[in-house]
Amino acid sequence: MAENNGSGTAAPLDAAAAAKAAFAEVTGEPFPTDIYTAPQLSWAVIGCGVIANQMATSLALSGRHIRGVANRTREKAETFAERYGVERVYNSVEELYQDPDVDAIYITTPHNTHIRYLRGALAAGKHVLCEKSITLNSEELDEARALARENNVVLMDATTILHMPLYQELLRRANAGEFGAMNLAQLNFGSYKEYGDLTNRFYNPKLAGGAMLDIGVYALSLMRLFMASQPTEVVSLANLASTGVDQTSGIVCRNREGQMGVLSLTLHSKQPKCAVLSFDRCYVEVMDYPRADVATIVWTEDGRREEVRAGRSGYALCYEIADLERAVAGDARAAGLIDYAADVMQIMTRLRREWGVVYPEERA
């Protein structure tokens, strides 16, 4: 049973439990006919951890299956394949890259391995959906984008913020002028990761640990999505863990239009995943915003509260898969999502360097 937070509502679940609950809500329901609107691609996955399992579950909701899986440990890949009806287990990622029956690859491995797999997959002419954080830094992302262009394939960031229908609906209304100008985005994200084992991925620099690449990418992506342009001014303070990765930070951003973002991130204190987007005519509040499907608009003039619902949290990875397939089919909106990801990566890279958070791969 979820812990009560004292206000009559349950405290937020952790990410794994929340995803499980979201899947449970949609399991057994008819799959929506408006999610997959482009020609379907044949998918394979690299890695078979939590996100790969969620991808396989997401595809199964619509009667689809992963064609193949590659993993560092073949035994785990075989177990994964048996569980989800995956047709093929590859002996190596190179074997996967050469499979002519695979159109697209979902990379679900730790952040610091992404660029290695991106190089191989993109050079082999495969479209790629890459789990967040898409790369370690802007230089790696620039390299991957160049490879995608050279090989005429789509590269897409899997950060859920970029793909959830709720934000597409809110953006539609904002861009239509319904809300007035956006002035301020305030975003919190706090997780509690115990210090007992500093070798786990959250605090381990060898696994690209730290709050920025793990949770900051969500807050920055939502901020950037509703800003008219990339922030030009960024100031911050950060506390580092003893391992040298960022643990807690406060960040303030401003773009040339004067729109501001104020972000609080921490890996060592639980706090609500709360986003408040303030416009001239209203503010929009979104709780548990990484995979949100509901928002509340509070109108400035009369205090009226309006609830907006779009999509379902349980289909979060379906929306990612569908956006890549749309981009491959020529959808400009979906193809342009990588530009937001690049802007976010520039901010994350800049901040980490200001804080002195440097990963081993960046010292080479």
Side-chain angles (χ1 to χ4, degrees), residues 223-290:
M223 177 197 75
R224 176 63 190 91
L225 201 59
F226 283 86
M227 279 186 159
S229 65
Q230 169 79 324
T232 55
E233 300 172 84
V234 182
V235 296
S236 69
L237 289 173
N239 292 334
L240 306 188
S242 61
T243 56
V245 303
D246 58 299
Q247 167 199 301
T248 301
S249 60
I251 303 162
V252 180
C253 305
R254 182 167 62 187
N255 64 10
R256 61 176 176 267
E257 289 83 7
Q259 296 170 317
M260 296 186 68
V262 179
L263 296 78
S264 299
L265 308 173
T266 181
L267 282 180
H268 202 52
S269 296
K270 192 72 173 176
Q271 63 174 347
K273 302 177 185 70
C274 177
V276 180
L277 307 172
S278 298
F279 299 81
D280 282 348
R281 297 174 186 163
C282 65
Y283 69 82
V284 179
E285 183 178 61
V286 189
M287 300 300 297
D288 296 322
Y289 58 83

Side-chain angles (χ1 to χ4, degrees), residues 68-131:
V69 58
N71 189 67
R72 183 172 55 87
T73 306
R74 183 179 173 88
E75 182 181 358
K76 289 183 179 180
E78 290 174 344
T79 301
F80 179 90
E82 182 177 355
R83 179 178 182 183
Y84 294 109
V86 178
E87 180 179 334
R88 186 169 182 186
V89 175
Y90 301 98
N91 292 312
S92 66
V93 290
E94 288 75 22
E95 185 178 354
L96 164 55
Y97 300 152
Q98 297 308 312
D99 186 344
D101 293 323
V102 168
D103 304 309
I105 298 173
Y106 192 0
I107 297 173
T108 70
T109 56
H111 314 315
N112 59 323
T113 64
H114 288 177
I115 188 60
R116 179 167 79 248
Y117 297 128
L118 285 167
R119 287 169 179 150
L122 295 168
K126 306 300 185 185
H127 306 292
V128 175
L129 176 66
C130 188
E131 188 51 38

Side-chain angles (χ1 to χ4, degrees), residues 205 244 356-364:
V357 177
V358 181
Y359 298 120
E361 294 84 356
E362 296 173 314
R363 299 181 189 277

Side-chain angles (χ1 to χ4, degrees), residues 86-364:
V86 178
E87 180 179 334
R88 186 169 182 186
V89 175
Y90 301 98
N91 292 312
S92 66
V93 290
E94 288 75 22
E95 185 178 354
L96 164 55
Y97 300 152
Q98 297 308 312
D99 186 344
D101 293 323
V102 168
D103 304 309
I105 298 173
Y106 192 0
I107 297 173
T108 70
T109 56
H111 314 315
N112 59 323
T113 64
H114 288 177
I115 188 60
R116 179 167 79 248
Y117 297 128
L118 285 167
R119 287 169 179 150
L122 295 168
K126 306 300 185 185
H127 306 292
V128 175
L129 176 66
C130 188
E131 188 51 38
K132 59 85 184 168
S133 170
I134 188 169
T135 55
L136 289 187
N137 53 50
S138 290
E139 290 81 8
E140 288 186 355
L141 183 52
D142 288 345
E143 177 188 349
R145 295 188 73 183
L147 275 171
R149 288 191 295 269
E150 289 170 13
N151 292 279
N152 196 32
V153 292
V154 171
L155 170 63
M156 185 165 285
D157 186 325
T159 301
T160 50
I161 297 293
L162 301 175
H163 308 284
M164 296 302 293
L166 178 67
Y167 299 120
Q168 295 174 30
E169 172 60 13
L170 292 172
L171 274 173
R172 182 192 66 78
R173 294 179 65 174
N175 292 337
E178 189 174 340
F179 301 157
M182 201 282 281
N183 302 307
L184 175 65
Q186 296 173 284
L187 301 108
N188 295 342
F189 199 132
S191 295
Y192 182 74
K193 310 299 181 186
E194 292 191 35
Y195 277 145
D197 179 11
L198 294 183
T199 64
N200 68 40
R201 74 175 183 88
F202 299 106
Y203 295 115
N204 190 344
K206 293 182 180 179
L207 295 176
M212 180 57 72
L213 297 190
D214 192 65
I215 62 177
V217 63
Y218 291 116
L220 287 166
S221 294
L222 185 50
M223 177 197 75
R224 176 63 190 91
L225 201 59
F226 283 86
M227 279 186 159
S229 65
Q230 169 79 324
T232 55
E233 300 172 84
V234 182
V235 296
S236 69
L237 289 173
N239 292 334
L240 306 188
S242 61
T243 56
V245 303
D246 58 299
Q247 167 199 301
T248 301
S249 60
I251 303 162
V252 180
C253 305
R254 182 167 62 187
N255 64 10
R256 61 176 176 267
E257 289 83 7
Q259 296 170 317
M260 296 186 68
V262 179
L263 296 78
S264 299
L265 308 173
T266 181
L267 282 180
H268 202 52
S269 296
K270 192 72 173 176
Q271 63 174 347
K273 302 177 185 70
C274 177
V276 180
L277 307 172
S278 298
F279 299 81
D280 282 348
R281 297 174 186 163
C282 65
Y283 69 82
V284 179
E285 183 178 61
V286 189
M287 300 300 297
D288 296 322
Y289 58 83
R291 297 187 180 188
D293 54 19
V294 60
T296 300
I297 301 174
V298 180
W299 293 94
T300 304
E301 184 177 14
D302 56 9
R304 177 172 55 90
R305 300 177 70 86
E306 175 190 348
E307 187 176 87
V308 179
R309 292 185 176 271
R312 298 288 294 275
S313 296
Y315 297 134
L317 271 69
C318 298
Y319 302 130
E320 297 175 6
I321 294 164
D323 267 342
L324 185 135
E325 293 180 343
R326 289 190 192 99
V328 171
D331 184 287
R333 181 203 63 82
L337 293 173
I338 192 66
D339 294 329
Y340 290 105
D343 283 356
V344 169
M345 183 57 67
Q346 286 179 2
I347 297 173
M348 294 196 297
T349 302
R350 170 180 174 174
L351 287 171
R352 282 200 305 106
R353 288 175 179 168
E354 290 178 357
W355 300 338
V357 177
V358 181
Y359 298 120
E361 294 84 356
E362 296 173 314
R363 299 181 189 277

